[in-house]
Amino acid sequence: MRVPLSWLREYVDLPATETGRDVQAKLISAGLEVETVEQLGHDLKGPLVVGQVLTIEELEGFKKPIRFCTVDVGQANGTGEPQEIVCGARNFAVGDKVVVVLPGAVLPGNFAIAARKTYGKTSHGMICSGDELGMGDDGSHGIIVLPQETEVGKDAIELLELVDEVLDIAVTANRGDCLSIRGVARETAIAYGLPLRDPALLDVPGPNAFGYPVQVSDPVGCDRFTARTVTGLSPEARSPIWLQRRLQKVGMRPISLAVDVTNYVMMEVGQPLHAYDRTLVQGTIGVRRAAEGEKLVTLDGVERTLHTEDLVITDERGPIGLAGVMGGANTEIADHAESEGTTDVVIEAAHFDAVSIARTARRHKLSSEASKRFERGVDPQASAAAAQRTVDLLMLLAGGTAEAGVTEVIAPSAPHTIAVPADHPDKVAGVVYGRETVVRRLQEIGCDVYGQDELIVTVPSWRPDLGEGNDLAEEVIRLEGYENLPSTLPKPPSGRGLTHRQRLHRRVGRALAGAGYVEAPNYPFVGEQVFDQLGLDADDPARRVVRLTNPLNDEEPALRTSLLPGLLAALRRNDGRGSHDLALFETGLVFLPREEQGVAGQLPVDRRPTAEEIAAIDAVLPEQPRHVAAVLAGAREQAGWWGKGRPADWSDAVEAARTVAAEAGAELIVRKGQYGPWHPGRCAELVVVADGTERVVGHAGELHPRVLKALGLPARTSAMELDLDVLEQVGDDTPRAPGISTFPVATQDVALVVDAYVPHADVEAALREGAGELLEAIRLFDVYENAEQLGDGRKSLAYALRFRAGDRTLTVDEASAARDAAVALAGERTGAVLRA
């Protein structure tokens, strides 16, 4: 919400010395988030005056239209002579009043104005557009043309209110009252301890039987509907400069007088309004839910198929507006500047259900200034005053006449009251405020308060967010100042700390960070098309997802079953921005739907839920194991004077998996595999042994070229993903001191020739088992393939075997015997033979 300080001063008598920064500090202290204070015109320097165009000469021979003008600026130039100006705009004519900046002035952006020769003429200044003065778009996309009654030579800086301060407030979802000058003025008045001149306090005539006929069929969706009629509006009437400038300052574009007035009152009072061309409305105005298949062309020109839950405004033909969101094109107000502009209007000021409007706006992807306010809460008591304010302005500015008929359809409702102990804010804040302070602060925000120790508080109509005692306590605390709350650190009970699972997650993160990876957390939402891009089979379990009822993004309506989509998107984004050497990781939950879908019940709020109630909730939630994943691209080791460097490859992804398994104390079996996005020949299947059976916990390796192309990833991108919860279950991360033997090690190297398809993991397992207890370590140090020496489809695997006994020095015969036993078992199981 943008709030001009000049507009705010109309309702609160702020001291003349108070600046926008001062007001910002006060409002922040009161709990409003004032993001910035924009200084309009702070770098603007005159002379900037009103001029009248006397002559226009069209200059020929240039690529674009150029005009040489003489403009009467009165005595502003010191001579009284016409000012000669070259201008390229064409939206003005002889006799028009325009804004002229004279030599010596400085426009926003430190643009100094001086006489200069251009297009064969000398231009002594400029005829200005709104953009050049920092005013924003006025709809003309050209020179500012002022009303004919504007005085020549008048200071345009004052006339156009170019110097001002605008507070930009980020209004939270519960403070819809602050989406108006009225609401912000109330908070400002409270912060300064000054009285408020409420713009909604107007004399409003009561409803009668002569008003425009209205029928509300859904009192839940619309509990209040006010209709007023104004006739005889002048088709030539335009919005005055002050009204246009205020709309521009709050971020709205002036359109036409009737529309501008409704927008102005909405910004002033907070009540969205809509004006219908009375001649285009046929019969009674109605409010109901849309029928299946009904269509409506909204003011933005889009034909929309309505949903049965949409609340619509109708006449005898059908829908004429999407209630609380946007009006229909079939009753659109015509521009009053046109000769056949609208002269009779019906003003709608209604109060709609917040949830209904929010759902409609999201369903049609149509967020408007009106819907933003309705879904955050609008004061239902302000509708009649807002309608009256609109009628008054239309009569004042367009010479209209208000019809005597006043329509008000109101659903019966009682004011909301809350019973709360007088010392409740004291208990919440840990500060003794006292009853007098509590009552005074609640009365300042508009509450009626009765009682002594037990207060009966009637909430004001403009604060629908105040629903219980804690909300009232929050109001007292924020107005007394959050900064005045004492800083008291909680005292945790002794003997508690991080759980084993939390400690493991932290160790894994530190280990990967120490290995050069950067943590990149991602949102847990995915679109199902990513599974096709990853090359998953049609029956892959990862394709079964949990879909969100109300997703933040319609393109990502499901919860992830893998961490890779988010990580790969982060890698692609960073690579596209020039960071080509990347190593990213993430630990996070994935969401796996259960075979039987259930509906969760609601837990009680007046007591602690029982273990059975919590278990019933858990039973219908999706399984949420924690995974860890890493992706790599570009250089793994940088080149420099120390060496050539090395690109990242599949082995780095496998090593990242080994690092994670080591932190969990789990023994990871790495063997050849094939799955989804990985390259079939460069994919490792990662296995652990749980309860005597092998269990696949992830994969690592280089991604398939088709996946890289589909996702727009760098060549040779590698990745790994592991189920961290399973590693925790099978691992034993109890720290163990290494055993140091005083006896020497005996090393034996063997080179075994096997078929090319035989996995190294199978050969190593056979060697390890065959060597027996004397084997201390085994390491593959060479892989060799040569058809001439080894034969077609054969490869050589060279291993270093380390033997050691804990109680003696091994003899050569003992080490050799252990080696021979290992080779024999490898030959029996894998067909391996010693390489000659």
mmCIF file of all heavy atoms in Angstrom, residues 215-225 287-289 309-312 323 350-357 359 374 380 409-413:
data_model
loop_
_atom_site.group_PDB
_atom_site.id
_atom_site.type_symbol
_atom_site.label_atom_id
_atom_site.label_comp_id
_atom_site.label_asym_id
_atom_site.label_seq_id
_atom_site.Cartn_x
_atom_site.Cartn_y
_atom_site.Cartn_z
ATOM 1 N N GLN A 215 -31.495 -7.817 -5.413
ATOM 2 C CA GLN A 215 -31.894 -9.067 -4.774
ATOM 3 C C GLN A 215 -30.646 -9.891 -4.496
ATOM 4 O O GLN A 215 -29.924 -10.265 -5.422
ATOM 5 C CB GLN A 215 -32.855 -9.856 -5.666
ATOM 6 C CG GLN A 215 -33.309 -11.175 -5.041
ATOM 7 C CD GLN A 215 -34.291 -11.933 -5.923
ATOM 8 O OE1 GLN A 215 -34.641 -11.457 -7.002
ATOM 9 N NE2 GLN A 215 -34.733 -13.091 -5.456
ATOM 10 N N VAL A 216 -30.410 -10.180 -3.229
ATOM 11 C CA VAL A 216 -29.261 -10.993 -2.819
ATOM 12 C C VAL A 216 -29.748 -12.396 -2.513
ATOM 13 O O VAL A 216 -30.481 -12.601 -1.531
ATOM 14 C CB VAL A 216 -28.545 -10.377 -1.597
ATOM 15 C CG1 VAL A 216 -27.394 -11.277 -1.161
ATOM 16 C CG2 VAL A 216 -28.029 -8.980 -1.931
ATOM 17 N N SER A 217 -29.342 -13.359 -3.339
ATOM 18 C CA SER A 217 -29.773 -14.745 -3.156
ATOM 19 C C SER A 217 -28.826 -15.536 -2.274
ATOM 20 O O SER A 217 -29.150 -16.657 -1.878
ATOM 21 C CB SER A 217 -29.899 -15.432 -4.525
ATOM 22 O OG SER A 217 -30.808 -14.746 -5.356
ATOM 23 N N ASP A 218 -27.656 -14.997 -2.005
ATOM 24 C CA ASP A 218 -26.655 -15.701 -1.194
ATOM 25 C C ASP A 218 -26.166 -14.768 -0.093
ATOM 26 O O ASP A 218 -25.127 -14.114 -0.222
ATOM 27 C CB ASP A 218 -25.485 -16.158 -2.062
ATOM 28 C CG ASP A 218 -24.535 -17.101 -1.338
ATOM 29 O OD1 ASP A 218 -24.525 -17.094 -0.096
ATOM 30 O OD2 ASP A 218 -23.817 -17.853 -2.012
ATOM 31 N N PRO A 219 -26.912 -14.669 1.036
ATOM 32 C CA PRO A 219 -26.514 -13.746 2.106
ATOM 33 C C PRO A 219 -25.224 -14.146 2.807
ATOM 34 O O PRO A 219 -24.627 -13.322 3.493
ATOM 35 C CB PRO A 219 -27.706 -13.796 3.067
ATOM 36 C CG PRO A 219 -28.380 -15.097 2.788
ATOM 37 C CD PRO A 219 -28.175 -15.377 1.335
ATOM 38 N N VAL A 220 -24.794 -15.416 2.648
ATOM 39 C CA VAL A 220 -23.505 -15.812 3.228
ATOM 40 C C VAL A 220 -22.365 -15.214 2.417
ATOM 41 O O VAL A 220 -21.380 -14.712 2.948
ATOM 42 C CB VAL A 220 -23.395 -17.350 3.289
ATOM 43 C CG1 VAL A 220 -22.006 -17.762 3.775
ATOM 44 C CG2 VAL A 220 -24.467 -17.912 4.203
ATOM 45 N N GLY A 221 -22.487 -15.272 1.091
ATOM 46 C CA GLY A 221 -21.451 -14.706 0.235
ATOM 47 C C GLY A 221 -21.473 -13.195 0.191
ATOM 48 O O GLY A 221 -20.439 -12.560 -0.008
ATOM 49 N N CYS A 222 -22.655 -12.592 0.361
ATOM 50 C CA CYS A 222 -22.796 -11.133 0.336
ATOM 51 C C CYS A 222 -23.749 -10.731 1.453
ATOM 52 O O CYS A 222 -24.966 -10.899 1.327
ATOM 53 C CB CYS A 222 -23.324 -10.663 -1.019
ATOM 54 S SG CYS A 222 -23.637 -8.889 -1.116
ATOM 55 N N ASP A 223 -23.201 -10.233 2.561
ATOM 56 C CA ASP A 223 -24.050 -9.892 3.702
ATOM 57 C C ASP A 223 -24.469 -8.429 3.719
ATOM 58 O O ASP A 223 -25.209 -7.997 4.607
ATOM 59 C CB ASP A 223 -23.359 -10.246 5.015
ATOM 60 C CG ASP A 223 -22.013 -9.558 5.178
ATOM 61 O OD1 ASP A 223 -21.670 -8.700 4.339
ATOM 62 O OD2 ASP A 223 -21.290 -9.884 6.135
ATOM 63 N N ARG A 224 -23.998 -7.644 2.739
ATOM 64 C CA ARG A 224 -24.378 -6.223 2.702
ATOM 65 C C ARG A 224 -24.205 -5.718 1.263
ATOM 66 O O ARG A 224 -23.177 -5.955 0.635
ATOM 67 C CB ARG A 224 -23.503 -5.414 3.656
ATOM 68 C CG ARG A 224 -23.916 -3.946 3.776
ATOM 69 C CD ARG A 224 -23.002 -3.260 4.767
ATOM 70 N NE ARG A 224 -23.193 -3.770 6.123
ATOM 71 C CZ ARG A 224 -23.932 -3.174 7.053
ATOM 72 N NH1 ARG A 224 -24.569 -2.052 6.777
ATOM 73 N NH2 ARG A 224 -24.034 -3.674 8.260
ATOM 74 N N PHE A 225 -25.226 -5.047 0.761
ATOM 75 C CA PHE A 225 -25.160 -4.506 -0.602
ATOM 76 C C PHE A 225 -25.847 -3.155 -0.595
ATOM 77 O O PHE A 225 -27.034 -3.038 -0.288
ATOM 78 C CB PHE A 225 -25.858 -5.434 -1.599
ATOM 79 C CG PHE A 225 -25.535 -5.139 -3.045
ATOM 80 C CD1 PHE A 225 -24.712 -5.966 -3.765
ATOM 81 C CD2 PHE A 225 -26.078 -4.026 -3.679
ATOM 82 C CE1 PHE A 225 -24.422 -5.703 -5.105
ATOM 83 C CE2 PHE A 225 -25.781 -3.742 -5.005
ATOM 84 C CZ PHE A 225 -24.947 -4.592 -5.719
ATOM 85 N N VAL A 287 -27.343 -10.915 -6.725
ATOM 86 C CA VAL A 287 -26.098 -11.522 -6.253
ATOM 87 C C VAL A 287 -26.381 -13.000 -6.006
ATOM 88 O O VAL A 287 -27.263 -13.337 -5.208
ATOM 89 C CB VAL A 287 -25.578 -10.859 -4.961
ATOM 90 C CG1 VAL A 287 -24.241 -11.466 -4.562
ATOM 91 C CG2 VAL A 287 -25.448 -9.353 -5.133
ATOM 92 N N ARG A 288 -25.652 -13.866 -6.699
ATOM 93 C CA ARG A 288 -25.863 -15.310 -6.560
ATOM 94 C C ARG A 288 -24.600 -16.046 -6.963
ATOM 95 O O ARG A 288 -23.627 -15.432 -7.432
ATOM 96 C CB ARG A 288 -27.029 -15.772 -7.437
ATOM 97 C CG ARG A 288 -26.819 -15.526 -8.939
ATOM 98 C CD ARG A 288 -27.877 -16.232 -9.755
ATOM 99 N NE ARG A 288 -27.839 -15.880 -11.171
ATOM 100 C CZ ARG A 288 -27.017 -16.418 -12.072
ATOM 101 N NH1 ARG A 288 -26.115 -17.324 -11.692
ATOM 102 N NH2 ARG A 288 -27.074 -16.046 -13.348
ATOM 103 N N ARG A 289 -24.636 -17.370 -6.786
ATOM 104 C CA ARG A 289 -23.554 -18.207 -7.281
ATOM 105 C C ARG A 289 -23.768 -18.471 -8.773
ATOM 106 O O ARG A 289 -24.899 -18.535 -9.254
ATOM 107 C CB ARG A 289 -23.506 -19.542 -6.530
ATOM 108 C CG ARG A 289 -23.280 -19.405 -5.044
ATOM 109 C CD ARG A 289 -21.875 -18.984 -4.710
ATOM 110 N NE ARG A 289 -21.734 -18.685 -3.279
ATOM 111 C CZ ARG A 289 -20.576 -18.400 -2.695
ATOM 112 N NH1 ARG A 289 -19.474 -18.361 -3.396
ATOM 113 N NH2 ARG A 289 -20.541 -18.135 -1.390
ATOM 114 N N GLU A 309 -18.925 -22.122 -7.695
ATOM 115 C CA GLU A 309 -18.667 -21.464 -6.418
ATOM 116 C C GLU A 309 -18.383 -19.981 -6.579
ATOM 117 O O GLU A 309 -18.237 -19.269 -5.586
ATOM 118 C CB GLU A 309 -17.489 -22.140 -5.705
ATOM 119 C CG GLU A 309 -17.782 -23.549 -5.222
ATOM 120 C CD GLU A 309 -16.635 -24.136 -4.417
ATOM 121 O OE1 GLU A 309 -15.657 -23.396 -4.167
ATOM 122 O OE2 GLU A 309 -16.706 -25.310 -4.060
ATOM 123 N N ASP A 310 -18.281 -19.490 -7.832
ATOM 124 C CA ASP A 310 -18.041 -18.070 -8.061
ATOM 125 C C ASP A 310 -19.280 -17.257 -7.685
ATOM 126 O O ASP A 310 -20.404 -17.607 -8.071
ATOM 127 C CB ASP A 310 -17.701 -17.812 -9.531
ATOM 128 C CG ASP A 310 -16.345 -18.378 -9.920
ATOM 129 O OD1 ASP A 310 -15.509 -18.546 -9.027
ATOM 130 O OD2 ASP A 310 -16.141 -18.640 -11.120
ATOM 131 N N LEU A 311 -19.070 -16.175 -6.970
ATOM 132 C CA LEU A 311 -20.143 -15.248 -6.646
ATOM 133 C C LEU A 311 -20.209 -14.208 -7.769
ATOM 134 O O LEU A 311 -19.182 -13.603 -8.117
ATOM 135 C CB LEU A 311 -19.867 -14.580 -5.303
ATOM 136 C CG LEU A 311 -21.043 -13.929 -4.575
ATOM 137 C CD1 LEU A 311 -22.074 -14.983 -4.181
ATOM 138 C CD2 LEU A 311 -20.546 -13.195 -3.331
ATOM 139 N N VAL A 312 -21.381 -14.007 -8.351
ATOM 140 C CA VAL A 312 -21.501 -13.103 -9.489
ATOM 141 C C VAL A 312 -22.587 -12.065 -9.234
ATOM 142 O O VAL A 312 -23.526 -12.275 -8.457
ATOM 143 C CB VAL A 312 -21.825 -13.864 -10.799
ATOM 144 C CG1 VAL A 312 -20.655 -14.730 -11.218
ATOM 145 C CG2 VAL A 312 -23.088 -14.707 -10.644
ATOM 146 N N ALA A 323 -18.173 -10.873 -8.674
ATOM 147 C CA ALA A 323 -18.310 -10.140 -7.413
ATOM 148 C C ALA A 323 -16.980 -10.011 -6.685
ATOM 149 O O ALA A 323 -16.275 -10.994 -6.478
ATOM 150 C CB ALA A 323 -19.327 -10.843 -6.510
ATOM 151 N N ALA A 350 -20.544 -3.101 -1.757
ATOM 152 C CA ALA A 350 -21.014 -4.342 -1.128
ATOM 153 C C ALA A 350 -19.920 -4.935 -0.263
ATOM 154 O O ALA A 350 -18.755 -4.547 -0.343
ATOM 155 C CB ALA A 350 -21.452 -5.342 -2.207
ATOM 156 N N HIS A 351 -20.329 -5.887 0.574
ATOM 157 C CA HIS A 351 -19.379 -6.617 1.409
ATOM 158 C C HIS A 351 -19.515 -8.097 1.094
ATOM 159 O O HIS A 351 -20.596 -8.675 1.249
ATOM 160 C CB HIS A 351 -19.630 -6.367 2.900
ATOM 161 C CG HIS A 351 -18.611 -7.019 3.788
ATOM 162 N ND1 HIS A 351 -18.826 -8.245 4.387
ATOM 163 C CD2 HIS A 351 -17.362 -6.631 4.142
ATOM 164 C CE1 HIS A 351 -17.750 -8.571 5.093
ATOM 165 N NE2 HIS A 351 -16.852 -7.610 4.959
ATOM 166 N N PHE A 352 -18.411 -8.711 0.635
ATOM 167 C CA PHE A 352 -18.426 -10.098 0.206
ATOM 168 C C PHE A 352 -17.579 -10.955 1.145
ATOM 169 O O PHE A 352 -16.656 -10.464 1.812
ATOM 170 C CB PHE A 352 -17.892 -10.225 -1.222
ATOM 171 C CG PHE A 352 -18.682 -9.439 -2.232
ATOM 172 C CD1 PHE A 352 -18.131 -8.328 -2.853
ATOM 173 C CD2 PHE A 352 -19.974 -9.800 -2.553
ATOM 174 C CE1 PHE A 352 -18.839 -7.597 -3.778
ATOM 175 C CE2 PHE A 352 -20.710 -9.074 -3.490
ATOM 176 C CZ PHE A 352 -20.142 -7.966 -4.097
ATOM 177 N N ASP A 353 -17.883 -12.263 1.147
ATOM 178 C CA ASP A 353 -17.154 -13.220 1.968
ATOM 179 C C ASP A 353 -15.697 -13.307 1.509
ATOM 180 O O ASP A 353 -15.413 -13.494 0.313
ATOM 181 C CB ASP A 353 -17.818 -14.594 1.867
ATOM 182 C CG ASP A 353 -17.036 -15.658 2.603
ATOM 183 O OD1 ASP A 353 -16.864 -15.543 3.831
ATOM 184 O OD2 ASP A 353 -16.569 -16.608 1.941
ATOM 185 N N ALA A 354 -14.763 -13.178 2.456
ATOM 186 C CA ALA A 354 -13.339 -13.115 2.124
ATOM 187 C C ALA A 354 -12.848 -14.392 1.450
ATOM 188 O O ALA A 354 -12.111 -14.351 0.453
ATOM 189 C CB ALA A 354 -12.518 -12.826 3.386
ATOM 190 N N VAL A 355 -13.242 -15.546 1.985
ATOM 191 C CA VAL A 355 -12.767 -16.822 1.435
ATOM 192 C C VAL A 355 -13.284 -17.021 0.021
ATOM 193 O O VAL A 355 -12.552 -17.455 -0.877
ATOM 194 C CB VAL A 355 -13.194 -17.990 2.348
ATOM 195 C CG1 VAL A 355 -12.828 -19.327 1.721
ATOM 196 C CG2 VAL A 355 -12.551 -17.851 3.723
ATOM 197 N N SER A 356 -14.543 -16.698 -0.209
ATOM 198 C CA SER A 356 -15.128 -16.850 -1.537
ATOM 199 C C SER A 356 -14.403 -16.005 -2.568
ATOM 200 O O SER A 356 -14.081 -16.474 -3.668
ATOM 201 C CB SER A 356 -16.610 -16.486 -1.500
ATOM 202 O OG SER A 356 -17.178 -16.557 -2.787
ATOM 203 N N ILE A 357 -14.111 -14.759 -2.228
ATOM 204 C CA ILE A 357 -13.436 -13.865 -3.176
ATOM 205 C C ILE A 357 -12.004 -14.342 -3.427
ATOM 206 O O ILE A 357 -11.526 -14.327 -4.565
ATOM 207 C CB ILE A 357 -13.436 -12.418 -2.644
ATOM 208 C CG1 ILE A 357 -14.872 -11.930 -2.447
ATOM 209 C CG2 ILE A 357 -12.684 -11.507 -3.601
ATOM 210 C CD1 ILE A 357 -15.745 -12.038 -3.662
ATOM 211 N N ARG A 359 -10.833 -17.380 -3.322
ATOM 212 C CA ARG A 359 -10.840 -18.570 -4.177
ATOM 213 C C ARG A 359 -11.190 -18.220 -5.616
ATOM 214 O O ARG A 359 -10.612 -18.774 -6.558
ATOM 215 C CB ARG A 359 -11.813 -19.595 -3.610
ATOM 216 C CG ARG A 359 -11.310 -20.247 -2.325
ATOM 217 C CD ARG A 359 -12.327 -21.211 -1.736
ATOM 218 N NE ARG A 359 -11.787 -21.886 -0.555
ATOM 219 C CZ ARG A 359 -12.496 -22.653 0.250
ATOM 220 N NH1 ARG A 359 -13.790 -22.849 0.009
ATOM 221 N NH2 ARG A 359 -11.934 -23.227 1.300
ATOM 222 N N PHE A 374 -10.897 -7.426 -0.311
ATOM 223 C CA PHE A 374 -11.948 -8.310 0.198
ATOM 224 C C PHE A 374 -11.368 -9.557 0.855
ATOM 225 O O PHE A 374 -11.853 -10.004 1.897
ATOM 226 C CB PHE A 374 -12.894 -8.705 -0.929
ATOM 227 C CG PHE A 374 -13.951 -7.678 -1.215
ATOM 228 C CD1 PHE A 374 -14.081 -7.149 -2.487
ATOM 229 C CD2 PHE A 374 -14.804 -7.230 -0.221
ATOM 230 C CE1 PHE A 374 -15.055 -6.204 -2.758
ATOM 231 C CE2 PHE A 374 -15.775 -6.278 -0.477
ATOM 232 C CZ PHE A 374 -15.898 -5.752 -1.754
ATOM 233 N N PRO A 380 -17.414 -3.886 6.909
ATOM 234 C CA PRO A 380 -18.774 -3.929 6.343
ATOM 235 C C PRO A 380 -19.593 -2.686 6.664
ATOM 236 O O PRO A 380 -20.526 -2.354 5.930
ATOM 237 C CB PRO A 380 -19.379 -5.181 6.991
ATOM 238 C CG PRO A 380 -18.606 -5.394 8.237
ATOM 239 C CD PRO A 380 -17.219 -4.912 7.951
ATOM 240 N N VAL A 409 -29.269 -3.773 1.309
ATOM 241 C CA VAL A 409 -29.673 -5.131 1.662
ATOM 242 C C VAL A 409 -28.665 -5.637 2.682
ATOM 243 O O VAL A 409 -27.478 -5.767 2.377
ATOM 244 C CB VAL A 409 -29.700 -6.041 0.416
ATOM 245 C CG1 VAL A 409 -30.122 -7.451 0.805
ATOM 246 C CG2 VAL A 409 -30.637 -5.465 -0.634
ATOM 247 N N ILE A 410 -29.138 -5.919 3.905
ATOM 248 C CA ILE A 410 -28.229 -6.271 5.003
ATOM 249 C C ILE A 410 -28.683 -7.573 5.630
ATOM 250 O O ILE A 410 -29.856 -7.737 5.983
ATOM 251 C CB ILE A 410 -28.187 -5.158 6.069
ATOM 252 C CG1 ILE A 410 -27.771 -3.822 5.435
ATOM 253 C CG2 ILE A 410 -27.243 -5.537 7.200
ATOM 254 C CD1 ILE A 410 -27.833 -2.654 6.389
ATOM 255 N N ALA A 411 -27.746 -8.537 5.756
ATOM 256 C CA ALA A 411 -28.019 -9.772 6.487
ATOM 257 C C ALA A 411 -27.800 -9.514 7.973
ATOM 258 O O ALA A 411 -26.782 -8.933 8.365
ATOM 259 C CB ALA A 411 -27.102 -10.891 5.999
ATOM 260 N N PRO A 412 -28.741 -9.914 8.829
ATOM 261 C CA PRO A 412 -28.589 -9.649 10.273
ATOM 262 C C PRO A 412 -27.302 -10.266 10.821
ATOM 263 O O PRO A 412 -26.940 -11.394 10.492
ATOM 264 C CB PRO A 412 -29.821 -10.320 10.883
ATOM 265 C CG PRO A 412 -30.791 -10.460 9.758
ATOM 266 C CD PRO A 412 -29.974 -10.659 8.516
ATOM 267 N N SER A 413 -26.600 -9.509 11.643
ATOM 268 C CA SER A 413 -25.386 -10.004 12.292
ATOM 269 C C SER A 413 -25.184 -9.227 13.579
ATOM 270 O O SER A 413 -25.643 -8.084 13.711
ATOM 271 C CB SER A 413 -24.166 -9.851 11.384
ATOM 272 O OG SER A 413 -23.921 -8.493 11.094
#
